[in-house]
């Protein structure tokens, strides 16, 4: 656009600065541009943005957000506060084509990829809300800054590779968010893993594993028919993870499916040699779900088998259960491990 107008490239940097750092809502707010230039731009462009259509607060301080896109579609996100962090779970696609059996998003199929500006726009919309007095009716969140971003909302981020990578660059280059505070969660799109680390080696990786045999994983996650557990773990082992960092393996515990002591022991063996930690997420039951969570004793025994064999394993509590914002309970939210250790 700027090239066509014959304007110098530095104007692009100025525009990005005003849009993403100064949160300008219209071209008229870009006072660094002369009025004739603003008028020229307004002749064929405008600054768009996502709208927060709905906010649903939970008693545990988690907030589910519905973002409206300009084509009337919508995606959901979740704002998750804890003592030290304010994490925003964002979406990368409208719907998802991956078809994981335990996921509500899968029932929608893929509608479309989000553009980079729509990915960054989720963060911008929440920032605006946080800055506005009482915009989010929650004492644990108002006035705080978003510290962490997790790509665990709707969609498979590695299936929208270019949009997600460009979105991350907007977040880091213009919005002041550190790459190390961004986590991308994947169901295991193996060929894109190396590519991701070439583009953005600093980003944290979470892999949704959820089973210890190919038969079980394929039954739960069709992606396993294409990239099986062996291929996925070999690809993870080849990633240039720096010594102090680890891949998070998400493991949704499903009663009677993947929660046995034998599964736990296999998981230990599978992760041997990998720089890994495990997030155990007892399945969050929803009305039409055909799975159940295991009881607490089974969950703790599973965890203990891992810990006894020196695998770091956390059981992730399900904040937001009351508003259906916990893992696997949102129509549009990924059941991967939202909570990072
Ligand atoms: S779990 Fe993630 S990858 Fe699988 S269908 Fe749901 S959104 Fe897609």
């Amino acid at each position: 656009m700027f090239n066509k107008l014959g304007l110098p490239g530095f104007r692009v940097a100025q525009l990005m600065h005003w849009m993403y750092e100064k949160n300008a809502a219209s071209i008229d707010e870009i006072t660094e541009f002369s009025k004739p230039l603003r008028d020229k731009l307004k002749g064929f462009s405008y600054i768009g943005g996502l709208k927060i259509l709905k906010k649903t607060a939970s008693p545990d301080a988690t907030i589910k957000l519905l973002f409206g896109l300009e084509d009337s579609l919508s995606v959901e996100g979740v704002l998750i506060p804890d003592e030290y962090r304010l994490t925003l779970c964002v979406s990368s696609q409208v719907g998802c084509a991956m078809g994981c059996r335990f996921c509500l998003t899968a029932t929608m199929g893929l509608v479309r990829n989000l553009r980079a500006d729509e990915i960054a726009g989720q963060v911008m919309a929440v920032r605006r809300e946080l800055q506005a007095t009482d915009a989010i009716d929650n004492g644990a969140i108002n006035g705080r800054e978003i510290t962490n971003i997790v790509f665990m909302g709707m969609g498979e981020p590695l299936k929208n590779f270019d949009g997600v990578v460009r979105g991350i660059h907007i977040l880091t280059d213009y919005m002041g968010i550190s790459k190390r505070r961004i986590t991308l969660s994947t169901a295991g799109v193996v060929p894109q893993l190396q590519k991701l680390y070439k583009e953005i080696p600093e980003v944290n990786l979470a892999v949704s594993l959820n089973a210890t045999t190919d038969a079980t994983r394929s039954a739960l996650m069709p992606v396993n028919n294409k990239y099986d557990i062996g291929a996925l773990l070999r690809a993870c082992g080849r990633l240039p993870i720096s010594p102090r960092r680890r891949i998070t393996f998400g493991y949704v515990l499903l009663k009677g499916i993947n929660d046995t002591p034998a599964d736990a022991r296999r998981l230990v063996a599978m992760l041997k040699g990998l720089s890994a930690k495990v997030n155990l997420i007892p399945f969050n039951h929803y009305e039409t779900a055909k799975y159940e969570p295991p009881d607490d004793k089974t969950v703790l025994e599973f965890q203990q088998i891992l810990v006894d064999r020196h695998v770091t394993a956390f059981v992730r509590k399900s904040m937001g259960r009351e508003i259906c914002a916990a893992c696997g309970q949102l129509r549009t939210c990924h059941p991967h491990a939202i909570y990072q250790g």
Side-chain angles (χ1 to χ4, degrees):
M1 169 178 91
F2 278 70
N3 283 349
K4 277 187 203 154
L5 280 172
L7 295 172
F10 74 89
R11 291 289 188 201
V12 178
Q14 287 176 331
L15 179 65
M16 296 295 272
H17 169 72
W18 277 85
M19 279 171 55
Y20 292 112
E21 289 179 71
K22 294 181 86 85
N23 238 337
S26 72
I27 288 172
D28 275 330
E29 288 182 25
I30 308 178
T31 50
E32 201 171 2
F33 288 177
S34 66
K35 182 149 187 332
L37 176 54
R38 294 200 301 266
D39 288 343
K40 201 169 177 181
L41 289 173
K42 280 190 316 189
F44 62 92
S45 62
Y46 65 98
I47 296 179
L50 276 66
K51 286 196 172 59
I52 295 180
L53 302 177
K54 197 173 168 194
K55 296 168 286 191
T56 313
S58 159
D60 66 15
T62 300
I63 295 186
K64 185 168 78 168
L65 302 152
L66 183 68
F67 297 104
L69 306 169
E70 290 194 333
D71 56 4
S72 302
L73 296 171
S74 59
V75 290
E76 281 181 0
V78 189
L79 199 49
I80 309 151
D82 67 20
E83 203 179 338
Y84 306 106
R85 295 169 295 195
L86 183 55
T87 301
L88 179 63
C89 168
V90 296
S91 292
S92 56
Q93 298 179 307
V94 184
C96 183
M98 302 301 283
C100 303
R101 304 284 181 248
F102 46 80
C103 172
L104 280 170
T105 302
T107 60
M108 297 176 65
L110 176 65
V111 181
R112 71 169 173 88
N113 285 337
L114 291 186
R115 300 186 310 263
D117 63 285
E118 291 173 322
I119 290 168
Q122 295 168 67
V123 182
M124 287 176 70
V126 175
R127 276 188 171 174
R128 272 191 220 112
E129 286 289 308
L130 291 170
Q131 282 160 12
T133 318
D134 296 333
I136 290 179
D137 185 23
N138 189 317
I141 290 180
N142 269 346
R144 288 177 65 178
E145 293 278 341
I146 296 167
T147 60
N148 294 62
I149 304 291
V150 292
F151 283 81
M152 297 179 186
M154 185 191 241
E156 164 54 61
L158 294 184
K159 286 285 187 182
N160 179 17
F161 191 87
D162 292 343
V164 166
V165 167
R166 279 202 291 268
I168 290 175
H169 281 305
I170 294 174
L171 294 175
T172 57
D173 298 354
Y174 296 101
M175 295 175 69
I177 294 169
S178 162
K179 290 184 180 118
R180 293 184 186 282
R181 289 183 172 270
I182 296 176
T183 299
L184 186 149
S185 177
T186 178
V189 186
V190 167
Q192 302 292 61
L193 289 173
Q194 277 288 348
K195 204 173 154 196
L196 176 72
Y197 270 77
K198 272 196 189 123
E199 295 268 356
I200 321 179
E202 304 91 342
V203 82
N204 299 297
L205 182 67
V207 174
S208 192
L209 192 57
N210 305 326
T212 60
T213 66
D214 280 322
T216 303
R217 193 164 192 269
S218 293
L220 294 172
M221 304 176 73
V223 66
N224 199 71
N225 291 311
K226 198 162 185 188
Y227 311 114
D228 65 17
I229 293 175
L232 175 59
L233 296 180
R234 281 193 299 279
C236 289
R238 286 195 294 267
L239 295 175
I241 306 282
S242 63
R244 286 180 32 222
R245 296 172 66 217
R246 288 182 284 182
I247 298 172
T248 301
F249 286 90
Y251 195 99
V252 177
L253 284 161
L254 306 165
K255 184 179 179 180
I257 305 284
N258 63 2
D259 62 345
T260 65
D263 280 305
R265 286 191 291 272
R266 271 196 297 272
L267 186 54
V268 171
M270 284 162 56
L271 298 181
K272 202 163 183 217
L274 285 174
S275 185
K277 62 182 171 181
V278 177
N279 277 351
L280 298 171
I281 310 138
F283 180 68
N284 292 300
H285 185 76
Y286 52 88
E287 209 173 300
T288 54
K290 54 181 179 177
Y291 301 108
E292 294 282 340
D295 58 34
D296 290 350
K297 185 168 169 283
T298 304
V299 173
L300 291 176
E301 280 173 4
F302 196 102
Q303 181 190 26
Q304 198 59 47
I305 290 170
L306 269 58
V307 171
D308 286 347
R309 289 156 180 79
H310 313 293
V311 174
T312 306
F314 303 96
V315 176
R316 293 303 176 193
K317 59 183 176 175
S318 294
M319 295 170 76
R321 194 181 284 270
E322 296 81 357
I323 55 165
C324 278
C327 304
Q329 289 189 326
L330 285 177
R331 179 178 67 93
T332 55
C333 208
H334 218 288
H336 297 171
I338 283 183
Y339 310 105
Q340 300 303 297

